Amino acid sequence: MDWLNNLLIYDGKFLGVQWSIWKVVGWLGNAVFFSRVFVQWYATEKLKRVVVPAIFWWLSLVGSLLLLSYGLFHNGDSVFILAYAFTWIPYIRNLIIHRRHSAAEMDCPHCSKICPPHSCFCFACGTRLGVLEPEQSAS
Ligand SMILES: [Zn+2]
């Protein structure tokens, strides 16, 4: 097992990295930020269409804030800091839009499928959803 020990720890450093709490924050930020790609890929493959689930935006937000913290408190590189300084804005906006869309979805009382907002009929069973507008019920 000395070969494994020598492979992992050399020069007194684990994987050749001088570890600190900010290194852990930076690597954790990298892992969280990078993991979003696999989450989005999985969701797309599962539905066989391009999908960006809400967890993608959460991973983007958390990962970029961890990387911004690393840049601000450890790295200090202006290029690195600027790369993550404003990315949280579209991530939070997309989470707000996703939440509003989810709240407006309609449950079919007949088959329990979740239908898009403002649907007049269930896409799965054809059951009429919601209340008809006055001009629709007059005809
Ligand atoms: Zn239905």
Side-chain angles (χ1 to χ4, degrees):
M1 293 302 279
D2 275 352
W3 65 270
L4 182 61
N5 197 31
N6 290 338
L7 188 70
L8 296 177
I9 300 172
Y10 54 93
D11 260 356
K13 300 173 189 169
F14 182 66
L15 296 175
V17 175
Q18 185 68 45
W19 289 94
S20 68
I21 188 66
W22 288 112
K23 282 284 186 185
V24 173
V25 168
W27 279 106
L28 186 63
N30 259 332
V32 170
F33 198 76
F34 188 65
S35 70
R36 68 190 191 140
V37 172
F38 293 103
V39 168
Q40 193 273 332
W41 186 13
Y42 174 78
T44 293
E45 291 292 341
K46 188 175 177 185
L47 295 179
K48 300 296 180 209
R49 62 184 170 89
V50 177
V51 176
V52 183
I55 187 71
F56 176 89
W57 301 115
W58 281 112
L59 291 170
S60 301
L61 180 63
V62 172
S64 66
L65 289 178
L66 286 170
L67 288 167
L68 179 61
S69 300
Y70 173 77
L72 285 171
F73 301 113
H74 180 75
N75 184 307
D77 182 3
S78 60
V79 173
F80 194 88
I81 292 169
L82 200 60
Y84 294 101
F86 303 103
T87 56
W88 58 273
I89 296 169
Y91 300 154
I92 289 177
R93 181 67 183 144
N94 285 332
L95 284 166
I96 290 169
I97 291 170
H98 191 275
R99 185 174 183 86
R100 284 182 185 157
H101 184 85
S102 296
E105 287 176 333
M106 306 171 78
D107 296 329
C108 175
H110 185 72
C111 71
S112 301
K113 292 279 186 190
I114 298 171
C115 299
H118 313 296
S119 296
C120 293
F121 298 95
C122 172
F123 71 89
C125 70
T127 298
R128 184 182 300 274
L129 300 172
V131 180
L132 291 175
E133 298 297 324
E135 62 272 8
Q136 286 178 304
S137 58
S139 59

